[in-house]
Amino acid sequence: MEGIETHAEGILTLPGSVIAIGAFDGVHQGHQAVIREAVKRAKILGVPSLIYTFDPPPRFYFQGVRILTTVEEKLVLLDKLGVDHVVIARFDEFYTMRPPIDFIEDLKKFSPIEIIVGSDFRFGGNREGDIQLLEQYFQIRVNQPVCCSKGKVISSTRIRKLILTGNIQESLSLLGRLSGS
C-alpha cells in the first residue's frame, strides 16, 4: 500500500478533511459508494480524505457476527479506492461507554469540512449520539443506502446471510469482488 496512511485513534490531527465514518465491514458496493464520495469531495475541496472505522466492527463486538474483512484486507481495499488516511478505533468495552461528546471532540482534531455517514449512524454510549447531534458541530452528508440490480439494499448483514446459505456468487457480486461488477 503506497498512498494510504493508517493511524490509531487519538494520534492524527489534520488542518482539514472530508471524513466517512463506519464499520465498513466487507467494504461492499454500498460502502464503496460512500468512500468514493468522500474521496471525490476531498479532492474537490482540496483536503485529505479520511475513513474513521472500527476494529472489531461494532456488530461483531455486540452480536458476534461473522467479520467479512480483516483490518488488513479492509486497508488494501481502502487504498485501492484512493483514501488518504484511515483511523482505526479499537472498539472495546471502554469505547462503548464513551459519551457522544468524546467522539465529537475526536472528530474535531481532523478539522472536517464535511462528514459522510449512513442514515442510521449512531455513536457514543448507549448509541446516544445521532446525526442531529453531529450536525450541531459539523457539515454532514447522509448517504442513502445503495441497492443492487434487484432493488434490494446492499448491506453487510445481507451478505452474511448469503454466505450462510451458500450463495457465494451473489455475496461476491454485492461485495464488488466479481470481475465486471
Side-chain angles (χ1 to χ4, degrees):
M1 291 181 297
E2 301 169 7
I4 199 167
E5 290 186 37
T6 307
H7 312 274
E9 177 196 9
I11 305 294
L12 179 67
T13 59
L14 292 171
S17 66
V18 172
I19 304 172
I21 306 170
F24 300 118
D25 187 22
V27 192
H28 59 61
Q29 289 188 30
H31 296 149
Q32 291 171 33
V34 173
I35 295 160
R36 283 190 186 104
E37 178 70 10
V39 169
K40 180 180 99 178
R41 294 292 302 156
K43 285 181 180 166
I44 289 169
L45 296 168
V47 295
S49 58
L50 185 148
I51 301 301
Y52 192 107
T53 191
F54 310 93
D55 181 41
R59 285 189 193 256
F60 173 83
Y61 179 84
F62 288 116
Q63 301 165 5
V65 300
R66 174 189 188 136
I67 295 176
L68 297 173
T69 46
T70 66
V71 171
E72 294 77 18
E73 292 167 328
K74 189 184 300 189
L75 291 173
V76 167
L77 294 166
L78 293 173
D79 188 43
K80 286 180 182 176
L81 291 167
V83 171
D84 296 309
H85 298 276
V86 178
V87 170
I88 303 170
R90 182 80 192 139
F91 200 85
D92 56 16
E93 184 178 0
F94 172 76
Y95 198 89
T96 66
M97 295 187 296
R98 295 176 62 195
I101 195 68
D102 285 5
F103 184 65
I104 289 167
E105 292 302 319
D106 283 350
L107 293 176
K108 285 181 180 180
K109 295 175 188 171
F110 311 126
S111 308
I113 296 172
E114 291 180 354
I115 296 176
I116 303 170
V117 295
S119 57
D120 60 349
F121 182 69
R122 306 292 294 214
F123 60 97
N126 298 318
R127 298 173 46 96
E128 291 172 5
D130 58 14
I131 292 169
Q132 289 71 32
L133 179 59
L134 272 184
E135 287 175 328
Q136 293 176 30
Y137 298 88
F138 308 108
Q139 178 68 37
I140 303 299
R141 282 179 171 253
V142 178
N143 187 69
Q144 298 307 312
V146 173
C147 295
C148 69
S149 59
K150 296 177 183 176
K152 295 180 180 178
V153 172
I154 298 172
S155 71
S156 297
T157 299
R158 180 171 169 215
I159 292 167
R160 282 186 200 93
K161 287 179 183 172
L162 289 168
I163 292 169
L164 275 173
T165 59
N167 197 334
I168 304 305
Q169 284 298 108
E170 189 174 355
S171 69
L172 289 174
S173 174
L174 297 180
L175 285 164
R177 307 290 196 276
L178 291 177
S179 56
S181 55

